[in-house]
Amino acid sequence: MTKTDRTPLAEPVSPQEVPDAAIAMLDTEGTVVGWTHAAEQLVGYSAAEVVGRSAAHVLPPAEDAPSASAFAEQCRAQDGWSGTVMVRHRDGHAIKMTLRISLLWGQDAGTRWLVSVTDIGTLSSGVPNGAVRESLLARAPIGIAVYDPQLRCTWVSDVMERHVGVPRDRWFGRRLKDLFPGFEAEALESVMRQVLESGPTKVHEYRAWPPADRGRAHLFSASFFCLQDADGKALGVCSMSVDVTGNRRARERLAILSEASTRVGSTLDLMRTGQELADLAVPLLADIAVVDLMESVPFGLEPSTRIGTTSGRRPVLRRAGVASIDLGVLGLTAVREEVIHVPPTSSFGAALRTGRSHLEPVLDTYAGPWVDHDPTRAQKVRDSGIHSLMVVPIRARRCVLGLAVFGRSDEPTPFQEDDLLLAEELVTRAALSLDNALQYARQRSVALTLQRDLLPHHVGGGAALDVASRYVPADTDHGVGGDWFDVIKLSGARVALVVGDVVGHGINAAATMGRLRTAVRTLADMELPPHELLTHLDDTVRRLSEEDADAPDHLPAAVGATCLYAIYDPVSRRCTMARAGHPPPAIIDPQGLVAFPDMPAGAPLGLGLGLVPFESVELELPEGTLLALYTDGLVESRDDDIDMGLDRLGAALAETGSSLEDLCSQVIETLPTQSPADDVTLLLARTRGLEPAQVASWDLPNEPAAVRTARQAAARQLNEWGLEHLVATVQLIVSELVTNAISYGDGPICLRLIQHQVLTCEVSDSNTSHPHPRQPHIIGENGRGLFLVAQLSRRWGSRSAPAGKVVWAEQDLPSKAVAM
């Protein structure tokens, strides 16, 4: 009839939860034949004063109550009575009480009445109302049995008979252990003996299977009272049992759901969330739990088929979570992430198609998605003893993301409707977490794709630098950030190196990063020195922030960024750099000595601190020097400060014999975790210098005759380099550029030719005004010089110089003549 449950109860009922009711037993004439210590405390009468006397005499009812005889007839007709009455205490004051009268049956069809009275005033203060107390006051059916000092049953109520399903004739004269061999008889009789010896009320819980609900165990809370005779001696024990299954199940379910709120969805990892759901369900709800997701879901893609539609294809799932009280039975440890093909005609296929749950309380033959295709697995499932099954679809926004399957094998009680309701609630909560993770995965995938598309796919340092790079996105909990890097080829074989970091994560950060990278490239084409470029970039960031703040229905986001911009000149082997709140670069000389240069930090971009100027520093770098530009994600973590990160980076970069690609990999491997909380960007550049033979320069006087001298010098140098085919073109370009320098300047002029991946022709003068091409008028004599230069060059431009400006033009070289 009953068994001990293997799962601990959520919260035992304490004695304080049961009203310490005053109990009196009356015979058919209304005479008190049994009294309790609680009754004496409540109304002031001792057992000696009450037992053997009329209850109406001892406990007079209110004036408007019916007569004792009429009241007895009313109780007999209704098999009892319950309600609220006013009772006078022995000292004369009135007490408002709840009173309940129950009919008891004895041997040979004898009857008696059990009266239980509780002071309502004690229920409104002190210990909060418990589930059992509420049941008593709500007139829940109470099973009553009375036992003599030898613990043999003498009286029993109809409700008690219904609770345990044993006819009352079998109760009389027998002890519990005689009635129910499988019962918790020893524990219950031990409680009754304590009550007989000490007197106070005791509470004990037990389980039984009522005949009306044979398939389900019910939880009962029994209160035991000692009945006293007129001499105050123990007359017997009264047991009052209340079915608290519903209340306890509600508490257990609330406890499970409370655990679900903390244990399921702890991360944005879809597969881990599936495993968390399975782990929660076992053993709180099921002996075995399996969570399968639609095959596309773990990759951040929503299922294409919505509820109520068919795609014509056999559903394919991927196992995300498995849990069992005995993993070895099913071999479940080996099947996680396995691909599962679902037969469309199975209950699993129906749940995926309709989005409705399926309950099999009693399962004779397991019909899972693998049975038709894997007889060995099917036999293992049958051997496991699974006898009850629930299939619950994981739904979100009219899409089925997968299935959760729950089975019982060790627990004999089959699943019922309320178990399915609990399973659906758990799965609904998990579905919310899975949907959040899916939406995040989609956004992260979009942000990552956007960022990777916005970052350079290939970086090259031309003749000036060997370069390599790495980008590691942040972990799934933090999202893709706004890191960026770039390598920009400038005029005169120079190369610009850029590393930046936008505040925040996600698509907005990635988009802002793309805008800033474009802005840096545009500013780099203006040939600005690093500190001037950062000043213009700071204005750009602030304008973007102001535009976003002014946009309607847009919550202004925190916009800011850090940046390091450096320009390396392979002719002079000098590097000029400036930073805006960004970590300093690491510089490793050819002998492996690591240094972090002391350079002005500058304010982060976009903070409105434009009055604080950025400053450039210039360093001379021997050929073979390694430059490392990076973002703070490489050197900062939750557990390490930046100094530890810099030491770790320096130690990794000191491996001078490694290639740049290998060195990048080695640095990334030193990260404390391979799932960093912030994006990690690393840009390595090893310097190269141009040979003296690749550069030729001439100082020219500021006079018209210098044009002819410049043309002749350029022609001789091109012949030495084997570039005779470029002589005519270069002579025209040199003529125009030197002529402009003489016309608009008054200082010395310098002509320089650089042979690297292209041929660069540079003319510098003391005039700070930059030339602007003009469309020549059809009959005009001016405006054709720069127009001609533009037509003859692959590209041309000008840049500022310490003593004026430089105007340059480039020519393509044949591949065999390119100097690397």
Side-chain angles (χ1 to χ4, degrees):
M1 294 298 295
T2 61
K3 66 186 285 290
T4 300
D5 188 24
R6 64 186 174 86
T7 303
L9 298 178
E11 183 181 344
V13 175
S14 65
Q16 289 79 11
E17 286 190 302
V18 182
D20 198 2
I23 302 296
M25 179 176 280
L26 313 180
D27 62 15
T28 55
E29 302 300 325
T31 301
V32 178
V33 295
W35 194 248
T36 63
H37 180 67
E40 179 179 353
Q41 290 183 321
L42 184 63
V43 297
Y45 293 95
S46 66
E49 295 173 300
V50 174
V51 176
R53 306 181 67 179
S54 169
H57 177 74
V58 177
L59 302 174
E63 295 180 357
D64 57 348
S67 64
S69 59
F71 185 66
E73 288 300 324
Q74 178 183 343
C75 292
R76 190 172 287 108
Q78 299 177 357
D79 291 334
W81 182 87
S82 63
T84 303
V85 297
M86 297 298 296
V87 175
R88 287 193 297 273
H89 191 271
R90 188 174 184 274
D91 62 11
H93 74 273
I95 308 172
K96 186 177 182 180
M97 298 186 175
T98 60
L99 182 142
R100 185 162 193 155
I101 301 176
S102 305
L103 179 63
L104 302 181
W105 296 94
Q107 204 161 4
D108 300 327
T111 59
R112 283 194 176 176
W113 301 99
L114 190 84
V115 180
S116 60
V117 182
T118 304
D119 183 358
I120 290 181
T122 64
L123 300 179
S124 60
S125 62
V127 179
N129 293 351
V132 177
R133 175 178 296 180
E134 293 175 1
S135 298
L136 286 169
L137 297 180
R139 304 177 186 179
I142 298 179
I144 303 173
V146 179
Y147 305 87
D148 64 16
Q150 287 73 44
L151 304 185
R152 294 171 300 198
C153 183
T154 55
W155 303 92
V156 67
S157 68
D158 291 334
V159 175
M160 193 67 175
E161 181 180 359
R162 292 195 299 271
H163 277 180
V164 296
V166 176
R168 62 174 177 261
D169 291 342
R170 291 182 53 193
W171 288 69
F172 303 129
R174 296 184 179 180
R175 295 174 58 175
L176 286 177
K177 65 179 184 180
D178 298 328
L179 285 169
F180 315 116
F183 201 71
E184 291 176 331
E186 291 295 337
L188 288 170
E189 289 192 352
S190 175
V191 173
M192 288 192 285
R193 278 191 289 269
Q194 294 177 36
V195 170
L196 284 173
E197 294 172 1
S198 60
T201 302
K202 297 286 184 180
V203 179
H204 186 76
E205 290 185 349
Y206 65 94
R207 292 184 183 272
W209 277 256
D213 195 5
R214 280 291 182 185
R216 176 175 297 282
H218 282 233
L219 179 67
F220 294 90
S221 180
S223 302
F224 296 93
F225 307 86
C226 180
L227 291 172
Q228 299 175 337
D229 59 15
D231 297 329
K233 295 180 180 179
L235 182 66
V237 179
C238 174
S239 167
M240 301 177 66
S241 298
V242 179
D243 188 340
V244 294
T245 305
N247 295 320
R248 176 50 56 85
R249 285 187 177 278
R251 269 192 278 177
E252 289 175 344
R253 277 156 172 72
L254 286 175
I256 294 175
L257 294 177
S258 177
E259 284 202 53
S261 65
T262 58
R263 290 177 52 184
V264 178
S266 62
T267 69
L268 291 171
D269 186 308
L270 288 153
M271 299 295 280
R272 181 170 174 179
T273 300
Q275 185 60 50
E276 288 172 344
L277 173 59
D279 290 337
L280 176 68
V282 177
L284 295 178
L285 175 64
D287 298 327
I288 297 167
V290 175
V291 179
D292 296 332
L293 299 178
M294 299 298 290
E295 189 179 29
S296 62
V297 171
F299 301 100
L301 301 176
E302 285 188 0
S304 57
T305 305
R306 303 184 74 81
I307 294 175
T309 63
T310 56
S311 64
R313 295 179 299 175
R314 168 174 278 196
V316 179
L317 304 175
R318 185 175 294 273
R319 184 132 304 157
V322 287
S324 173
I325 57 173
D326 184 4
L327 285 174
V329 173
L330 297 179
L332 292 175
T333 54
V335 298
R336 192 162 184 258
E337 299 191 12
E338 178 184 359
V339 174
I340 307 296
H341 297 273
V342 180
T345 57
S346 68
S347 59
F348 297 82
L352 289 172
R353 185 174 59 257
T354 64
R356 291 193 292 269
S357 302
H358 180 74
L359 171 65
E360 287 284 350
V362 179
L363 194 66
D364 295 327
T365 302
Y366 189 78
W370 49 75
V371 169
D372 297 335
H373 308 285
D374 192 341
T376 303
R377 179 79 56 79
Q379 187 60 47
K380 286 186 177 182
V381 172
R382 284 190 286 269
D383 293 343
S384 72
I386 295 177
H387 61 83
S388 191
L389 188 75
M390 295 186 294
V391 181
V392 183
I394 304 171
R395 300 176 299 179
R397 294 180 292 110
R398 291 196 55 76
C399 285
V400 176
L401 305 181
L403 291 177
V405 182
F406 307 98
R408 278 184 176 168
S409 56
D410 187 66
E411 166 62 49
T413 307
F415 287 124
Q416 300 294 326
E417 288 293 337
D418 57 344
D419 293 311
L420 181 61
L421 291 175
L422 175 60
E424 288 178 333
E425 179 65 24
L426 288 177
V427 171
T428 297
R429 297 191 179 205
L432 179 61
S433 297
L434 286 168
D435 189 49
N436 289 339
L438 179 61
Q439 297 306 309
Y440 173 80
R442 292 180 59 199
Q443 292 183 8
R444 185 173 188 272
S445 177
V446 170
L448 187 57
T449 301
L450 175 63
Q451 187 171 44
R452 290 195 184 279
D453 285 344
L454 292 174
L455 290 174
H457 296 172
H458 172 72
V459 290
L465 299 168
D466 293 324
V467 294
S469 63
R470 287 290 187 277
Y471 168 71
V472 180
D475 62 24
T476 55
D477 288 339
H478 295 82
V480 177
D483 286 14
W484 92 91
F485 66 93
D486 211 344
V487 179
I488 306 169
K489 294 179 182 179
L490 303 177
S491 63
R494 298 171 308 134
V495 176
L497 301 173
V498 191
V499 169
D501 186 359
V502 174
V503 170
H505 296 85
I507 294 178
N508 290 339
T512 301
M513 174 274 291
R515 298 161 83 179
L516 294 187
R517 178 175 178 244
T518 301
V520 170
R521 277 195 160 262
T522 301
L523 294 170
D525 284 343
M526 296 171 62
E527 303 274 5
L528 297 174
H531 64 280
E532 289 187 24
L533 183 142
L534 292 180
T535 300
H536 287 287
L537 189 62
D538 181 50
D539 290 337
T540 300
V541 174
R542 285 192 285 115
R543 284 200 305 272
L544 292 176
S545 178
E546 291 169 359
E547 290 171 3
D548 290 342
D550 293 339
D553 302 325
H554 184 276
L555 293 176
V559 176
T562 64
C563 184
L564 173 64
Y565 185 78
I567 297 176
Y568 175 68
D569 185 345
V571 177
S572 65
R573 293 180 174 84
R574 300 188 73 81
C575 182
T576 307
M577 62 185 74
R579 60 183 178 135
H582 202 83
I587 300 178
I588 302 90
D589 67 17
Q591 288 72 44
L593 182 63
V594 181
F596 294 91
D598 183 13
M599 55 184 295
L605 303 172
L607 298 186
L609 302 178
L611 294 178
V612 180
F614 299 103
E615 298 182 49
S616 294
V617 297
E618 188 174 76
L619 303 173
E620 185 170 351
L621 304 179
E623 185 171 1
T625 298
L626 180 65
L627 281 170
L629 282 64
Y630 52 90
T631 55
D632 56 5
L634 183 66
V635 294
E636 292 183 353
S637 67
R638 301 183 186 95
D639 302 321
D640 297 339
D641 59 25
I642 190 170
D643 290 333
M644 295 180 63
L646 292 175
D647 291 342
R648 184 180 68 247
L649 173 62
L653 292 174
E655 299 292 332
T656 56
S658 302
S659 69
L660 291 186
E661 289 295 334
D662 291 342
L663 199 54
C664 278
S665 300
Q666 293 171 19
V667 171
I668 297 301
E669 288 172 0
T670 65
L671 289 172
T673 172
Q674 296 307 303
S675 298
D678 194 7
D679 286 13
V680 172
T681 298
L682 175 65
L683 177 61
L684 297 182
R686 183 168 282 135
T687 64
R688 294 191 295 190
L690 295 184
E691 297 294 333
Q694 294 177 256
V695 181
S697 63
W698 301 268
D699 292 325
L700 303 173
N702 193 318
E703 56 187 35
V707 175
R708 183 177 177 215
T709 302
R711 288 167 54 88
Q712 293 174 345
R716 286 195 303 270
Q717 188 60 57
L718 293 177
N719 287 324
E720 289 182 16
W721 285 340
L723 301 176
E724 298 85 354
H725 66 287
L726 293 178
V727 169
T729 301
V730 173
Q731 280 186 321
L732 284 173
I733 293 173
V734 167
S735 296
E736 293 300 331
L737 296 184
V738 173
T739 299
N740 280 346
I742 295 171
S743 301
Y744 299 102
D746 56 4
I749 299 169
C750 180
L751 169 65
R752 185 168 70 165
L753 297 180
I754 305 172
Q755 181 195 15
H756 49 109
Q757 291 183 321
V758 296
L759 176 67
T760 302
C761 174
E762 297 181 346
V763 175
S764 59
D765 60 53
S766 59
N767 192 337
T768 58
S769 297
H770 290 258
H772 300 284
R774 293 178 295 170
Q775 186 70 28
H777 193 270
I778 190 170
I779 61 174
E781 296 182 0
N782 298 319
R784 288 182 171 83
L786 291 178
F787 181 78
L788 180 63
V789 170
Q791 296 299 313
L792 296 175
S793 306
R794 67 187 299 270
R795 65 175 189 146
W796 76 278
S798 65
R799 66 177 183 267
S800 297
K805 69 176 182 297
V806 177
V807 183
W808 54 268
E810 293 179 349
Q811 292 288 308
D812 286 320
L813 294 176
S815 57
K816 65 178 181 179
V818 174
M820 297 299 294

